[in-house]
Amino acid sequence: RCVHTHLASLSRKAYFEQFESAPEFVVLFLPGEAFFSAALQHDPSLIEAGAEQKVILASPTTLIALLLAVAHGWRQERLADNARQISGLGRELYERLAVLGGYFGELGKRLNGAVSAYNNAVSSLESRVLISARKFRQLGISGKDIPLLQSIEQNARQPQAPELQGRMELD
């Protein structure tokens, strides 16, 4: 009867509600196997009554097993939490890679534009400006030689990765 009364008292306290990540039960520790056995002989429904009220009866032997099970549960919870964080970090990294890929695409276009503008300037210099400048030499005006310029024929390398070409296929 004393164990049954204490069981009901512990149930009302609901200690687990005070903590965010706590097992939803309270342990009623009976300090000896003899006490546990005597209580069950007197009232065999104690274990079920405790379970209904979220109170687990534990003797020294069962307490160790119970604590090991709770520790295992907390480890699993930590692993699950780490997995959630890794998933969020992976999603964030993928989004950032997508933004960076866009920047590289824009940079490639602008590099190609810069090369094209340079080549157009060299072409204009050769076909329009230097023709007029040569006439100065024919008239006997000498000065520094005009530096040699070379056109740039290379384009920026196009990305080959499917993610950077916009043809990513989802599995």
Coordinates of all heavy atoms in Angstrom, one line a residue, residues 17-105:
E17 N 8.1 16.8 -17.2 CA 7.5 18.0 -17.9 C 8.4 19.2 -17.7 O 8.2 20.2 -18.4 CB 6.1 18.2 -17.4 CG 5.1 17.1 -17.9 CD 3.7 17.4 -17.4 OE1 3.5 18.3 -16.7 OE2 2.8 16.6 -17.8
Q18 N 9.3 19.2 -16.7 CA 10.1 20.4 -16.5 C 11.3 20.5 -17.5 O 12.0 21.5 -17.5 CB 10.7 20.3 -15.0 CG 9.6 20.3 -14.0 CD 10.2 20.1 -12.6 OE1 11.4 20.4 -12.4 NE2 9.4 19.6 -11.7
F19 N 11.6 19.4 -18.2 CA 12.7 19.4 -19.1 C 12.3 19.2 -20.5 O 11.4 18.4 -20.8 CB 13.7 18.3 -18.6 CG 14.1 18.5 -17.2 CD1 13.5 17.7 -16.2 CD2 15.1 19.4 -16.9 CE1 13.9 17.9 -14.9 CE2 15.5 19.6 -15.5 CZ 14.9 18.8 -14.5
E20 N 13.0 19.8 -21.4 CA 12.6 19.7 -22.8 C 12.8 18.3 -23.4 O 12.0 17.8 -24.1 CB 13.4 20.7 -23.7 CG 13.1 20.8 -25.1 CD 13.8 21.8 -25.8 OE1 14.0 22.9 -25.3 OE2 14.3 21.6 -27.0
S21 N 14.0 17.7 -23.1 CA 14.3 16.4 -23.7 C 14.5 15.4 -22.6 O 15.6 15.0 -22.4 CB 15.5 16.5 -24.6 OG 16.6 16.9 -23.9
A22 N 13.5 15.0 -22.0 CA 13.6 14.0 -20.9 C 12.6 12.9 -21.2 O 11.6 13.1 -21.8 CB 13.2 14.7 -19.5
P23 N 13.0 11.7 -20.7 CA 12.0 10.6 -20.9 C 10.7 10.9 -20.1 O 10.7 11.5 -19.1 CB 12.7 9.4 -20.2 CG 14.2 9.8 -20.1 CD 14.2 11.3 -20.1
E24 N 9.6 10.5 -20.7 CA 8.3 10.8 -20.1 C 7.9 9.8 -19.1 O 6.8 9.2 -19.1 CB 7.3 10.9 -21.2 CG 7.5 12.1 -22.1 CD 6.4 12.3 -23.1 OE1 5.4 11.6 -23.1 OE2 6.6 13.2 -24.0
F25 N 8.8 9.6 -18.1 CA 8.4 8.7 -17.0 C 9.3 9.1 -15.8 O 10.3 9.8 -15.9 CB 8.5 7.2 -17.3 CG 9.9 6.8 -17.7 CD1 10.9 6.5 -16.8 CD2 10.3 6.8 -19.1 CE1 12.2 6.1 -17.1 CE2 11.5 6.4 -19.4 CZ 12.5 6.0 -18.5
V26 N 8.9 8.6 -14.6 CA 9.6 8.8 -13.4 C 9.9 7.5 -12.8 O 9.2 6.5 -13.0 CB 8.7 9.6 -12.3 CG1 9.4 9.7 -11.0 CG2 8.3 11.0 -12.9
V27 N 11.1 7.3 -12.2 CA 11.5 6.0 -11.6 C 11.3 6.0 -10.1 O 11.7 6.9 -9.4 CB 13.0 5.8 -11.9 CG1 13.4 4.4 -11.3 CG2 13.2 5.8 -13.4
L28 N 10.6 5.0 -9.7 CA 10.4 4.8 -8.2 C 11.4 3.7 -7.9 O 11.2 2.5 -8.2 CB 8.9 4.3 -7.9 CG 8.7 3.8 -6.5 CD1 8.9 5.0 -5.5 CD2 7.2 3.3 -6.4
F29 N 12.4 4.1 -7.2 CA 13.5 3.1 -6.8 C 13.2 2.5 -5.5 O 12.9 3.1 -4.5 CB 14.8 3.9 -6.7 CG 16.0 3.0 -6.4 CD1 16.4 2.0 -7.2 CD2 16.6 3.2 -5.1 CE1 17.4 1.2 -6.9 CE2 17.7 2.3 -4.8 CZ 18.1 1.3 -5.6
L30 N 13.1 1.2 -5.5 CA 13.0 0.3 -4.3 C 14.4 -0.2 -4.0 O 14.9 -0.9 -4.8 CB 12.0 -0.8 -4.5 CG 10.6 -0.3 -4.9 CD1 9.7 -1.4 -5.3 CD2 9.9 0.4 -3.6
P31 N 15.0 0.2 -2.8 CA 16.4 -0.1 -2.6 C 16.8 -1.5 -2.3 O 18.0 -1.8 -2.1 CB 16.7 0.8 -1.3 CG 15.4 0.9 -0.7 CD 14.3 0.9 -1.7
G32 N 15.9 -2.5 -2.5 CA 16.3 -3.9 -2.4 C 15.4 -4.8 -3.1 O 14.2 -4.5 -3.3
E33 N 15.9 -5.8 -3.6 CA 15.1 -6.8 -4.4 C 14.0 -7.4 -3.5 O 12.9 -7.6 -4.0 CB 16.0 -8.0 -4.9 CG 17.1 -7.5 -5.8 CD 16.7 -6.9 -7.1 OE1 15.6 -7.3 -7.6 OE2 17.4 -6.1 -7.7
A34 N 14.3 -7.5 -2.2 CA 13.3 -8.1 -1.3 C 12.0 -7.2 -1.2 O 10.9 -7.6 -1.2 CB 13.9 -8.3 0.1
F35 N 12.3 -5.9 -1.2 CA 11.2 -4.9 -1.1 C 10.4 -4.9 -2.4 O 9.1 -4.9 -2.3 CB 11.7 -3.5 -0.9 CG 12.5 -3.3 0.3 CD1 13.8 -2.8 0.3 CD2 12.0 -3.6 1.6 CE1 14.6 -2.6 1.4 CE2 12.8 -3.4 2.7 CZ 14.1 -2.9 2.6
F36 N 11.0 -5.0 -3.5 CA 10.4 -5.1 -4.8 C 9.5 -6.3 -4.9 O 8.3 -6.3 -5.3 CB 11.4 -5.0 -5.9 CG 10.9 -4.9 -7.3 CD1 10.1 -3.8 -7.6 CD2 11.2 -5.8 -8.3 CE1 9.6 -3.7 -8.9 CE2 10.7 -5.7 -9.6 CZ 9.9 -4.6 -9.9
S37 N 10.1 -7.5 -4.5 CA 9.4 -8.7 -4.5 C 8.2 -8.8 -3.6 O 7.1 -9.2 -4.0 CB 10.3 -9.9 -4.2 OG 9.7 -11.1 -4.2
A38 N 8.4 -8.2 -2.4 CA 7.3 -8.2 -1.4 C 6.1 -7.3 -1.9 O 4.9 -7.7 -1.7 CB 7.8 -7.7 -0.1
A39 N 6.5 -6.2 -2.5 CA 5.4 -5.3 -3.0 C 4.6 -5.9 -4.1 O 3.4 -5.8 -4.1 CB 6.1 -4.0 -3.5
L40 N 5.3 -6.6 -5.0 CA 4.6 -7.3 -6.1 C 3.8 -8.5 -5.6 O 2.7 -8.8 -6.2 CB 5.6 -7.8 -7.2 CG 6.2 -6.7 -8.0 CD1 7.3 -7.2 -9.0 CD2 5.1 -5.9 -8.8
Q41 N 4.2 -9.2 -4.5 CA 3.4 -10.3 -4.0 C 2.1 -9.7 -3.4 O 1.1 -10.3 -3.6 CB 4.2 -11.0 -2.9 CG 5.2 -12.0 -3.5 CD 6.0 -12.7 -2.4 OE1 5.9 -12.4 -1.2 NE2 6.8 -13.7 -2.8
H42 N 2.2 -8.6 -2.8 CA 1.0 -8.0 -2.2 C 0.1 -7.4 -3.2 O -1.1 -7.5 -3.1 CB 1.4 -6.9 -1.1 CG 0.3 -6.3 -0.4 ND1 -0.9 -6.9 -0.2 CD2 0.2 -5.1 0.1 CE1 -1.7 -6.1 0.5 NE2 -1.1 -5.0 0.6
D43 N 0.7 -6.8 -4.2 CA -0.2 -6.2 -5.3 C 0.5 -6.4 -6.7 O 1.4 -5.6 -7.1 CB -0.3 -4.7 -5.0 CG -1.3 -4.0 -6.0 OD1 -1.8 -4.7 -7.0 OD2 -1.5 -2.8 -5.9
P44 N 0.2 -7.5 -7.3 CA 0.8 -7.8 -8.6 C 0.5 -6.8 -9.7 O 1.2 -6.8 -10.7 CB 0.2 -9.2 -9.0 CG -0.5 -9.7 -7.8 CD -0.8 -8.5 -6.9
S45 N -0.4 -5.9 -9.5 CA -0.7 -4.9 -10.6 C 0.1 -3.7 -10.4 O -0.1 -2.7 -11.2 CB -2.2 -4.6 -10.5 OG -2.5 -3.9 -9.3
L46 N 1.1 -3.6 -9.5 CA 1.9 -2.4 -9.3 C 2.6 -2.0 -10.6 O 2.7 -0.8 -10.9 CB 2.9 -2.6 -8.2 CG 2.4 -2.4 -6.8 CD1 3.4 -2.7 -5.7 CD2 1.9 -0.9 -6.6
I47 N 3.2 -2.9 -11.3 CA 4.0 -2.6 -12.5 C 3.1 -1.9 -13.5 O 3.4 -0.9 -14.1 CB 4.7 -3.8 -13.0 CG1 5.8 -4.2 -12.1 CG2 5.3 -3.5 -14.4 CD1 6.6 -5.5 -12.5
E48 N 1.9 -2.5 -13.8 CA 1.0 -2.0 -14.8 C 0.4 -0.6 -14.3 O 0.3 0.3 -15.1 CB -0.2 -3.0 -15.0 CG 0.2 -4.2 -15.8 CD 0.8 -5.3 -14.9 OE1 0.6 -5.2 -13.6 OE2 1.5 -6.2 -15.4
A49 N 0.1 -0.5 -13.0 CA -0.5 0.7 -12.5 C 0.6 1.8 -12.6 O 0.3 3.0 -13.0 CB -0.9 0.5 -11.0
G50 N 1.8 1.5 -12.3 CA 2.9 2.5 -12.5 C 3.1 2.9 -13.9 O 3.2 4.1 -14.2
A51 N 3.0 2.0 -14.9 CA 3.2 2.3 -16.3 C 2.1 3.2 -16.7 O 2.3 4.2 -17.5 CB 3.2 1.0 -17.1
E52 N 0.8 3.0 -16.3 CA -0.3 3.8 -16.7 C -0.1 5.3 -16.2 O -0.5 6.2 -16.8 CB -1.6 3.3 -16.1 CG -2.1 2.0 -16.8 CD -3.3 1.4 -16.1 OE1 -3.8 2.0 -15.2 OE2 -3.7 0.3 -16.6
Q53 N 0.6 5.4 -15.0 CA 0.8 6.7 -14.4 C 2.2 7.3 -14.7 O 2.6 8.2 -14.1 CB 0.6 6.6 -12.9 CG -0.8 6.2 -12.5 CD -0.9 6.1 -11.0 OE1 -0.6 7.0 -10.3 NE2 -1.4 5.0 -10.5
K54 N 2.9 6.6 -15.7 CA 4.2 7.1 -16.1 C 5.2 7.0 -15.0 O 6.1 7.9 -14.8 CB 4.2 8.5 -16.7 CG 3.3 8.5 -18.0 CD 3.4 9.9 -18.6 CE 2.6 9.9 -19.9 NZ 2.6 11.1 -20.6
V55 N 5.1 6.0 -14.2 CA 6.1 5.7 -13.1 C 6.6 4.3 -13.3 O 5.8 3.4 -13.3 CB 5.5 5.9 -11.7 CG1 6.5 5.6 -10.6 CG2 4.9 7.3 -11.5
I56 N 7.9 4.1 -13.3 CA 8.5 2.8 -13.5 C 9.1 2.4 -12.2 O 9.9 3.1 -11.6 CB 9.7 2.9 -14.6 CG1 9.2 3.5 -15.9 CG2 10.3 1.5 -14.8 CD1 8.2 2.7 -16.6
L57 N 8.7 1.2 -11.7 CA 9.3 0.6 -10.5 C 10.6 0.0 -10.8 O 10.8 -0.7 -11.9 CB 8.3 -0.5 -10.0 CG 7.0 0.1 -9.4 CD1 5.9 -1.0 -9.5 CD2 7.3 0.5 -8.0
A58 N 11.6 0.3 -10.0 CA 13.0 -0.3 -10.3 C 13.6 -0.7 -9.0 O 13.6 -0.1 -8.0 CB 13.8 0.8 -10.9
S59 N 14.2 -1.9 -9.1 CA 15.0 -2.5 -8.0 C 16.5 -2.2 -8.4 O 16.8 -1.7 -9.5 CB 14.8 -4.0 -7.9 OG 15.3 -4.6 -9.0
P60 N 17.4 -2.5 -7.5 CA 18.8 -2.3 -7.9 C 19.2 -3.0 -9.2 O 19.9 -2.4 -10.0 CB 19.6 -2.8 -6.7 CG 18.7 -2.6 -5.6 CD 17.3 -2.9 -6.1
T61 N 18.7 -4.1 -9.4 CA 19.0 -4.9 -10.7 C 18.4 -4.2 -11.9 O 19.1 -4.0 -12.9 CB 18.5 -6.3 -10.6 OG1 19.1 -6.9 -9.4 CG2 18.9 -7.1 -11.8
T62 N 17.1 -3.9 -11.8 CA 16.4 -3.3 -13.0 C 16.8 -1.9 -13.2 O 16.7 -1.4 -14.3 CB 14.9 -3.5 -12.8 OG1 14.5 -2.8 -11.7 CG2 14.5 -4.9 -12.8
L63 N 17.3 -1.2 -12.2 CA 17.7 0.2 -12.3 C 18.9 0.3 -13.3 O 18.9 1.2 -14.1 CB 18.0 0.9 -11.0 CG 18.4 2.3 -11.0 CD1 17.2 3.2 -11.6 CD2 18.8 2.8 -9.7
I64 N 19.8 -0.5 -13.2 CA 21.0 -0.5 -14.0 C 20.6 -0.7 -15.5 O 21.0 0.1 -16.4 CB 22.0 -1.5 -13.6 CG1 22.6 -1.1 -12.2 CG2 23.1 -1.7 -14.6 CD1 23.5 -2.2 -11.6
A65 N 19.7 -1.7 -15.7 CA 19.3 -1.9 -17.1 C 18.5 -0.7 -17.6 O 18.6 -0.3 -18.8 CB 18.4 -3.1 -17.2
L66 N 17.6 -0.1 -16.8 CA 16.8 1.0 -17.1 C 17.7 2.2 -17.5 O 17.5 2.9 -18.5 CB 15.9 1.4 -16.0 CG 15.0 2.6 -16.2 CD1 14.0 2.4 -17.4 CD2 14.2 2.9 -14.9
L67 N 18.7 2.5 -16.6 CA 19.7 3.6 -16.9 C 20.4 3.4 -18.2 O 20.7 4.4 -18.9 CB 20.6 3.8 -15.7 CG 20.0 4.3 -14.4 CD1 21.0 4.3 -13.3 CD2 19.3 5.6 -14.6
L68 N 20.8 2.2 -18.5 CA 21.5 1.9 -19.7 C 20.6 2.1 -20.9 O 21.0 2.7 -21.9 CB 22.1 0.4 -19.7 CG 23.2 0.2 -18.8 CD1 23.5 -1.3 -18.8 CD2 24.5 0.9 -19.2
A69 N 19.4 1.8 -20.8 CA 18.4 2.0 -21.9 C 18.2 3.5 -22.1 O 18.1 4.0 -23.2 CB 17.1 1.3 -21.6
V70 N 18.1 4.2 -21.0 CA 17.9 5.7 -21.1 C 19.1 6.3 -21.8 O 19.0 7.2 -22.7 CB 17.6 6.3 -19.8 CG1 17.6 7.8 -19.8 CG2 16.2 5.9 -19.3
A71 N 20.3 5.9 -21.3 CA 21.5 6.5 -21.9 C 21.6 6.2 -23.4 O 22.0 7.0 -24.2 CB 22.8 5.9 -21.2
H72 N 21.2 4.9 -23.8 CA 21.2 4.6 -25.2 C 20.2 5.5 -26.0 O 20.5 6.0 -27.1 CB 20.8 3.1 -25.4 CG 20.7 2.7 -26.8 ND1 21.8 2.5 -27.6 CD2 19.6 2.4 -27.6 CE1 21.3 2.2 -28.8 NE2 20.0 2.1 -28.8
G73 N 19.0 5.7 -25.4 CA 18.1 6.6 -26.0 C 18.6 8.0 -26.2 O 18.4 8.6 -27.2
W74 N 19.3 8.5 -25.2 CA 19.9 9.9 -25.3 C 21.0 9.9 -26.4 O 21.1 10.9 -27.2 CB 20.5 10.3 -24.0 CG 19.4 10.8 -23.0 CD1 18.1 11.3 -23.3 CD2 19.5 10.9 -21.6 NE1 17.5 11.6 -22.2 CE2 18.3 11.4 -21.1 CE3 20.5 10.6 -20.7 CZ2 18.1 11.6 -19.8 CZ3 20.3 10.8 -19.4 CH2 19.1 11.3 -18.9
R75 N 21.8 8.9 -26.5 CA 22.8 8.8 -27.6 C 22.1 8.8 -28.9 O 22.5 9.5 -29.9 CB 23.6 7.5 -27.4 CG 24.8 7.7 -26.5 CD 25.8 6.5 -26.7 NE 25.2 5.2 -26.4 CZ 25.1 4.7 -25.2 NH1 25.6 5.3 -24.2 NH2 24.6 3.5 -25.1
Q76 N 21.0 8.0 -29.1 CA 20.3 8.0 -30.3 C 19.7 9.4 -30.7 O 19.7 9.8 -31.8 CB 19.2 7.0 -30.3 CG 19.7 5.5 -30.2 CD 20.6 5.2 -31.3 OE1 20.3 5.4 -32.5 NE2 21.8 4.6 -31.0
E77 N 19.2 10.1 -29.6 CA 18.6 11.4 -29.8 C 19.7 12.4 -30.3 O 19.5 13.2 -31.2 CB 18.0 11.9 -28.5 CG 17.4 13.3 -28.6 CD 16.3 13.4 -29.7 OE1 15.6 12.4 -29.9 OE2 16.1 14.5 -30.3
R78 N 20.9 12.3 -29.7 CA 22.0 13.1 -30.1 C 22.4 12.8 -31.6 O 22.7 13.7 -32.4 CB 23.2 12.9 -29.2 CG 23.3 13.8 -28.0 CD 24.7 13.9 -27.4 NE 25.2 12.6 -27.0 CZ 25.0 11.9 -25.9 NH1 24.2 12.4 -25.0 NH2 25.5 10.7 -25.7
L79 N 22.4 11.6 -31.9 CA 22.7 11.2 -33.3 C 21.7 11.7 -34.3 O 22.0 12.3 -35.3 CB 22.8 9.7 -33.5 CG 24.1 9.0 -32.9 CD1 23.9 7.5 -33.0 CD2 25.3 9.5 -33.6
A80 N 20.4 11.6 -33.9 CA 19.4 12.2 -34.7 C 19.5 13.7 -34.9 O 19.3 14.2 -35.9 CB 18.0 11.8 -34.2
D81 N 19.8 14.3 -33.8 CA 20.0 15.8 -33.8 C 21.2 16.2 -34.7 O 21.1 17.1 -35.5 CB 20.2 16.3 -32.4 CG 20.2 17.8 -32.3 OD1 19.3 18.5 -32.9 OD2 21.2 18.4 -31.7
N82 N 22.3 15.4 -34.6 CA 23.4 15.7 -35.5 C 23.0 15.5 -36.9 O 23.4 16.2 -37.8 CB 24.6 14.8 -35.1 CG 25.3 15.2 -33.8 OD1 25.0 16.3 -33.3 ND2 26.1 14.4 -33.3
A83 N 22.2 14.4 -37.2 CA 21.8 14.2 -38.6 C 20.9 15.3 -39.1 O 21.1 15.7 -40.3 CB 21.0 12.8 -38.6
R84 N 20.1 15.9 -38.2 CA 19.3 17.0 -38.7 C 20.1 18.2 -39.0 O 19.9 18.9 -40.0 CB 18.2 17.4 -37.6 CG 17.0 16.4 -37.5 CD 15.9 16.9 -36.6 NE 16.3 16.9 -35.2 CZ 16.2 15.8 -34.4 NH1 15.8 14.7 -34.9 NH2 16.6 15.9 -33.1
Q85 N 21.1 18.4 -38.1 CA 22.0 19.6 -38.4 C 22.9 19.4 -39.6 O 23.1 20.3 -40.4 CB 23.0 19.8 -37.1 CG 22.2 20.3 -35.9 CD 23.2 20.5 -34.8 OE1 24.4 20.7 -34.9 NE2 22.6 20.5 -33.5
I86 N 23.3 18.2 -39.9 CA 24.1 17.9 -41.1 C 23.2 18.1 -42.3 O 23.7 18.6 -43.3 CB 24.7 16.4 -41.0 CG1 25.8 16.4 -40.0 CG2 25.2 16.0 -42.4 CD1 26.3 15.0 -39.6
S87 N 22.0 17.6 -42.2 CA 21.1 17.8 -43.3 C 20.8 19.3 -43.6 O 20.9 19.7 -44.8 CB 19.7 17.2 -43.0 OG 18.8 17.4 -44.0
G88 N 20.6 20.1 -42.6 CA 20.5 21.5 -42.8 C 21.7 22.2 -43.3 O 21.6 23.1 -44.2
L89 N 22.9 21.8 -42.8 CA 24.1 22.3 -43.3 C 24.3 22.0 -44.8 O 24.8 22.8 -45.6 CB 25.3 21.8 -42.5 CG 26.7 22.4 -42.8 CD1 26.7 23.9 -42.6 CD2 27.7 21.7 -41.8
G90 N 24.0 20.7 -45.1 CA 24.1 20.3 -46.5 C 23.2 21.1 -47.5 O 23.6 21.5 -48.6
R91 N 22.0 21.3 -47.0 CA 21.0 22.1 -47.8 C 21.6 23.6 -48.0 O 21.6 24.1 -49.1 CB 19.7 22.1 -47.1 CG 18.5 22.6 -47.9 CD 17.1 22.4 -47.3 NE 17.1 22.2 -45.8 CZ 17.1 21.0 -45.2 NH1 17.0 19.9 -45.9 NH2 17.0 20.9 -43.9
E92 N 22.1 24.1 -46.9 CA 22.7 25.5 -47.0 C 23.9 25.5 -47.9 O 24.0 26.5 -48.7 CB 23.1 25.9 -45.5 CG 23.7 27.3 -45.4 CD 24.0 27.6 -44.0 OE1 23.2 27.4 -43.1 OE2 25.2 28.1 -43.8
L93 N 24.8 24.5 -47.8 CA 25.9 24.5 -48.6 C 25.5 24.4 -50.1 O 26.1 25.0 -51.0 CB 26.9 23.3 -48.2 CG 28.1 23.1 -49.1 CD1 29.0 24.4 -49.0 CD2 28.9 21.9 -48.6
Y94 N 24.6 23.5 -50.4 CA 24.1 23.4 -51.8 C 23.6 24.7 -52.3 O 23.9 25.0 -53.5 CB 23.1 22.2 -51.9 CG 22.8 21.9 -53.3 CD1 23.6 21.0 -54.0 CD2 21.7 22.4 -54.0 CE1 23.4 20.6 -55.3 CE2 21.5 22.1 -55.3 CZ 22.3 21.2 -56.0 OH 22.0 20.9 -57.3
E95 N 22.8 25.4 -51.5 CA 22.2 26.7 -52.0 C 23.4 27.7 -52.2 O 23.3 28.4 -53.2 CB 21.3 27.2 -50.9 CG 20.0 26.4 -50.8 CD 19.1 26.8 -49.7 OE1 19.5 27.7 -48.9 OE2 18.1 26.2 -49.5
R96 N 24.4 27.7 -51.4 CA 25.5 28.6 -51.6 C 26.3 28.2 -52.8 O 26.8 29.1 -53.5 CB 26.4 28.6 -50.3 CG 25.7 29.3 -49.2 CD 26.5 29.3 -47.9 NE 25.8 30.0 -46.8 CZ 26.3 30.2 -45.7 NH1 27.6 29.8 -45.4 NH2 25.7 30.9 -44.8
L97 N 26.4 26.9 -53.1 CA 27.1 26.5 -54.3 C 26.4 26.9 -55.5 O 27.0 27.3 -56.5 CB 27.3 25.0 -54.3 CG 28.4 24.4 -53.4 CD1 28.3 22.9 -53.3 CD2 29.8 24.9 -53.9
A98 N 25.0 26.9 -55.5 CA 24.2 27.3 -56.6 C 24.5 28.8 -56.9 O 24.6 29.2 -58.0 CB 22.7 27.0 -56.3
V99 N 24.5 29.6 -55.8 CA 24.8 31.1 -55.9 C 26.2 31.3 -56.5 O 26.4 32.1 -57.4 CB 24.6 31.8 -54.6 CG1 25.1 33.2 -54.7 CG2 23.1 31.8 -54.2
L100 N 27.2 30.6 -56.0 CA 28.5 30.7 -56.5 C 28.6 30.3 -57.9 O 29.3 30.9 -58.7 CB 29.5 29.9 -55.6 CG 31.0 30.0 -55.9 CD1 31.5 31.4 -55.8 CD2 31.8 29.0 -55.0
G101 N 27.9 29.2 -58.3 CA 27.9 28.8 -59.7 C 27.4 29.9 -60.6 O 27.9 30.1 -61.7
G102 N 26.3 30.6 -60.2 CA 25.8 31.7 -60.9 C 26.8 32.8 -61.1 O 26.9 33.4 -62.2
Y103 N 27.6 33.1 -60.0 CA 28.6 34.1 -60.1 C 29.7 33.7 -61.1 O 30.2 34.6 -61.9 CB 29.3 34.4 -58.8 CG 28.4 35.1 -57.8 CD1 28.5 34.8 -56.4 CD2 27.4 36.0 -58.2 CE1 27.7 35.4 -55.5 CE2 26.6 36.6 -57.3 CZ 26.7 36.4 -55.9 OH 25.9 37.0 -55.0
F104 N 30.1 32.4 -61.1 CA 31.1 32.0 -62.1 C 30.6 32.1 -63.5 O 31.3 32.4 -64.4 CB 31.5 30.6 -61.8 CG 32.7 30.5 -60.8 CD1 32.5 30.0 -59.5 CD2 34.0 30.9 -61.2 CE1 33.6 30.0 -58.6 CE2 35.0 30.9 -60.3 CZ 34.8 30.4 -59.0
G105 N 29.3 31.8 -63.7 CA 28.7 31.9 -65.0 C 28.8 33.3 -65.5 O 29.1 33.6 -66.7

